[in-house]
Amino acid sequence: CTAPSPVVAGETVAFATNQGVIGVDRTTGKQKWIANVWNRGPVIPWKGPTQTLILASDRDNQKKENFAIALDPTTGKILW
């Protein structure tokens, strides 16, 4: 994984690592969550009408397909 720039979404700073996407508290720097996904690109903040999401990628190794995912910046939960 390359080291793309981190993104800010609300009170979370998110960045890609070889372990997945990590979210840390933007004030304290403490890790809030880790999303164990096969992300090999940048993470991107996406501002919707009601909330900001973190867009990343994941992979289905059986189908050999990559796909976009949206993470909740507060919890790291995959929303879609």
Side-chain angles (χ1 to χ4, degrees):
C1 177
T2 59
S5 298
V7 298
V8 177
E11 295 301 312
T12 301
V13 177
F15 54 93
T17 72
N18 289 335
Q19 298 173 359
V21 179
I22 295 177
V24 299
D25 184 280
R26 71 183 272 180
T27 304
T28 66
K30 290 185 178 184
Q31 182 175 318
K32 296 170 71 173
W33 50 262
I34 182 166
N36 293 308
V37 296
W38 187 91
N39 186 70
R40 295 297 180 261
V43 291
I44 302 167
W46 178 80
K47 186 164 180 66
T50 59
Q51 73 180 119
T52 299
L53 303 177
I54 297 169
L55 303 184
S57 64
D58 202 355
R59 180 170 178 82
D60 183 327
N61 285 325
Q62 291 182 335
K63 293 181 181 179
K64 298 183 180 177
E65 295 176 348
N66 297 339
F67 52 91
I69 60 171
L71 301 170
D72 180 310
T74 302
T75 65
K77 178 182 176 185
I78 297 174
L79 302 175
W80 52 262

